Amino acid sequence: RVSSLFVSKARLDAMRRQLRHAEEEAAQLRGERQRTLAAREEAEREAASAVAELAARKHQHVEEARLTGEETDAAIRALRAQLRDAREQHERSAAEAEALLGEQEELSRRYRHEATELAQRSEGLVVELRSEVERLALRNAELSAQLAATTTAANQMRGAEQASSERTRAVDAE
């Protein structure tokens, strides 16, 4: 019975370690999410910077087109292709960031679910251990009462034997 109590305590300790491990994983996941968000923001900044740079270049080339004609038209076409590529890259980066955020949310949801299940199992074990403690306390009280009754009966028997022995000695002495 005592060993089952120690086993139950060991299980409870193991569950606590699992909960701490799950909390550490959650913290890591939050860190990964922050890094992902930062990477997404950086990609958006780069895309905005690229769009701004392309807009500036386009303006410059329009001015040159007025002056040089065909040569400038070719440069504008190239810039438009770069802009299109930058937008496509931005869209791909945004899609990747969204996918990573979705994965992060799914991991967070699973962590919350697992943490809830772990907490429920822990609560069940606590209730079970308390019930076992109550049962053992009652059994201990029963055994203590039996011991007290047995001790009292043994003392009474010893007293009766001593009295009988003294009477026998008194009769023998007469």
Side-chain angles (χ1 to χ4, degrees), residues 78-164:
L79 287 172
R80 285 184 179 155
Q82 286 179 359
L83 178 60
R84 183 183 62 250
D85 292 344
R87 285 182 179 154
E88 289 172 0
Q89 183 177 355
H90 171 70
E91 289 173 5
R92 283 192 304 269
S93 295
E96 287 177 20
E98 286 298 321
L100 288 173
L101 287 174
E103 290 174 16
Q104 172 64 34
E105 288 172 5
E106 175 61 21
L107 288 173
S108 294
R109 185 197 60 76
R110 283 198 334 235
Y111 165 74
R112 283 190 301 275
H113 177 71
E114 290 174 9
T116 301
E117 285 181 350
L118 183 61
Q120 289 171 348
R121 285 194 304 261
S122 295
E123 287 174 13
L125 282 174
V126 167
V127 168
E128 184 180 319
L129 288 173
R130 285 183 180 154
S131 174
E132 182 68 13
V133 166
E134 279 183 35
R135 188 187 67 73
L136 291 173
L138 290 173
R139 181 67 178 141
N140 190 23
E142 289 173 9
L143 292 174
S144 293
Q146 287 178 359
L147 179 62
T150 303
T151 302
T152 302
N155 288 340
Q156 288 175 352
M157 288 176 70
R158 268 190 250 132
E161 285 177 9
Q162 285 177 354
S164 173

Side-chain angles (χ1 to χ4, degrees), residues 39-99:
R40 179 182 178 184
E41 289 174 6
E42 180 62 31
E44 289 175 352
R45 279 193 298 274
E46 287 176 6
S49 175
V51 168
E53 181 181 335
L54 287 174
R57 285 185 184 180
K58 183 178 177 182
H59 178 71
Q60 177 186 357
H61 287 289
V62 167
E63 290 298 318
E64 289 176 6
R66 255 187 330 115
L67 301 173
T68 59
E70 192 174 299
E71 181 182 303
T72 305
D73 289 341
I76 289 173
R77 283 191 299 274
L79 287 172
R80 285 184 179 155
Q82 286 179 359
L83 178 60
R84 183 183 62 250
D85 292 344
R87 285 182 179 154
E88 289 172 0
Q89 183 177 355
H90 171 70
E91 289 173 5
R92 283 192 304 269
S93 295
E96 287 177 20
E98 286 298 321

